[in-house]
Amino acid sequence: MFRALFDTLFKRTPTEEGFARTFIKAARAGGYAEPLDYQADDFRLRYGAGSYFNLHNAYRDYLNADKARKTQVLNSYLRGLIDSRNSAAAQPLEQVRPLLRPVIRNLAMLEEIRLHQVRNHGWDSPCPMAWQPFCEDCVTLLAIDYPDTTSTQTAGPQQDWGISLEQALAIALDNLRDASPDAFEAILPGLYQGAWKDGYDTSRVLLPDVLQRLALKGQPVFMMPSRDVLMVTGDKDADNLRQMVELSFHALEHGRAQSSQIYTYHDRRIVPFQVQDAHLQARLGDLQRLLRHGIYSTQKEFLDKIHEAHPEDIFVATHRLYSDAESGNSSFSIAAWTEGVFTSLPQTDRVILVQPQADGSAQTQVVAWHEVETLLGGLLSKDGELYPPRFRTLGFPSAEQLSQLTPMG
């Protein structure tokens, strides 16, 4: 519908502002006549009576899409805007009951919503959300499955439905089961990927029997590195376990991050899979660092804006990720703790302690995080309830404390 317009407007990689202008222009071309107010600081559109449409995912997915799919991506998000407008009004349970679905999301999604609220209304402002725990980094949420988009109900069921989140998710799970014929594709013999392509591939891990019908070596183990990628193999299939982890790097870099873990079932409950292979453990560590790096980077952007809106003399340290030349493909994360600078530190593998000198130079010492926690724990306090966690510095190590630390290369 918008192909000619997009071919003209997207010959070059757009900036955020340029993308927003183009998105609004395309919405107008598609018949959306209501006011759309672009809010550059939050990279979102305000519409209706105080509703917002975030552009972050649309922008990222557009940039990551190949040329043939860019128009499809934009059309999808434009339809999502229209569905968001239509879903803003309360709908009776009878109308939405067959549309309810469960979705699994990384905790960072909820954290972004909370930090948006904090920026606009302060740290003490209420931000009610309803979810069930899934694992250490993910939650299960309720969603409404519209024809062209998924409307995630982060606040849970509407009050006038008269049902609890648990009851709503039970309905959603039954609906998902009815919409789950066998639809796996073999990536390699014994390694499968969900191929429903309806936005709920990863949600189907909540239906153990769907995965257990696959022909596997042993019991099913699975990964869901991004929202749209579910991979399954057998717990006795060492080669495909390695392949699944390696493929997760690509999925994580080209999709919306979800989880870096491997899971399996115990009495139909989803539990972490205990990896015994040292190489595989190391690669999973690299995958988790990559996921955390993206989340910490977004978190820093939010916190910097919050501190501008609600002034506070604190430096939000950057989470940096580097390859470890001595360990082949391995990686490590690091952040800087500078003397005299009140800092919010991300939890990293290493910390670089920086002492500025009068001549403009600096003395530095790199130490492992576990030593920082053990020997310098009294100089750190947890920074609120942030996810992923951060720690506020309470001064700087003394010369005696620094002498007790083990320098790293």
Side-chain angles (χ1 to χ4, degrees), residues 327-358:
S327 304
N329 292 329
S330 184
S331 63
F332 67 89
S333 57
I334 192 169
W337 178 354
T338 302
E339 185 175 18
V341 179
F342 185 35
T343 302
S344 176
L345 282 175
Q347 186 170 348
T348 51
D349 299 307
R350 306 177 189 181
V351 176
I352 179 168
L353 299 165
V354 182
Q355 292 178 283
Q357 303 297 299

Side-chain angles (χ1 to χ4, degrees), residues 106-108 136-137 252 257 259-261 284-300 319-321 333 346-349 386-391:
N106 190 279
L107 275 167
E136 66 176 19
D137 59 359
L252 186 60
S259 177
S260 60
Q261 306 299 309
L284 285 169
D286 291 336
L287 188 65
Q288 184 181 50
R289 290 184 194 95
L290 181 62
L291 183 146
R292 283 285 181 97
H293 178 66
I295 296 174
Y296 267 126
S297 298
T298 301
Q299 182 193 68
K300 174 177 167 57
H319 180 281
R320 301 188 185 279
L321 191 63
S333 57
Q347 186 170 348
T348 51
D349 299 307
L386 294 171
Y387 175 83
R390 282 181 175 265
F391 298 84

Side-chain angles (χ1 to χ4, degrees), residues 128-309:
M129 289 184 278
W131 47 270
Q132 285 187 349
F134 179 89
C135 60
E136 66 176 19
D137 59 359
C138 289
V139 296
T140 303
L141 298 160
L142 183 67
I144 301 176
D145 179 37
Y146 292 109
D148 295 306
T149 190
T150 296
S151 177
T152 305
Q153 307 296 291
T154 55
Q158 294 176 17
Q159 189 171 3
D160 61 356
W161 292 356
I163 59 175
S164 66
L165 176 64
E166 184 177 2
Q167 292 170 320
L169 285 174
I171 296 169
L173 199 59
D174 285 342
N175 291 341
L176 183 65
R177 182 175 286 106
D178 292 340
S180 298
D182 291 341
F184 281 100
E185 293 178 348
I187 303 173
L188 294 167
L191 175 59
Y192 299 89
Q193 179 172 338
W196 290 272
K197 302 186 188 304
D198 58 0
Y200 305 100
D201 284 25
T202 58
S203 298
R204 289 178 170 90
V205 303
L206 299 169
L207 302 169
D209 53 297
V210 172
L211 277 63
Q212 289 166 344
R213 291 197 292 266
L214 288 167
L216 304 169
K217 293 181 181 178
Q219 296 300 309
V221 293
F222 61 88
M223 296 187 73
M224 40 183 196
S226 67
R227 291 187 188 179
D228 299 319
V229 174
L230 166 64
M231 291 182 287
V232 187
T233 190
D235 64 348
K236 306 299 183 185
D237 198 335
D239 289 340
N240 276 329
L241 274 168
R242 292 192 180 95
Q243 290 287 353
M244 184 168 66
V245 171
E246 294 306 318
L247 289 169
S248 291
F249 281 90
H250 178 82
L252 186 60
E253 290 176 330
H254 293 85
R256 281 169 279 184
Q258 185 143 292
S259 177
S260 60
Q261 306 299 309
I262 304 179
Y263 302 95
T264 189
Y265 298 103
H266 178 71
D267 294 335
R268 296 181 65 83
R269 291 184 300 106
I270 295 171
V271 296
F273 176 64
Q274 301 303 315
V275 174
Q276 305 300 325
D277 180 85
H279 173 75
L280 200 57
Q281 288 176 344
R283 291 300 284 158
L284 285 169
D286 291 336
L287 188 65
Q288 184 181 50
R289 290 184 194 95
L290 181 62
L291 183 146
R292 283 285 181 97
H293 178 66
I295 296 174
Y296 267 126
S297 298
T298 301
Q299 182 193 68
K300 174 177 167 57
E301 292 178 13
F302 275 108
L303 291 175
D304 284 341
K305 290 176 180 178
I306 287 171
H307 295 149
E308 288 178 9

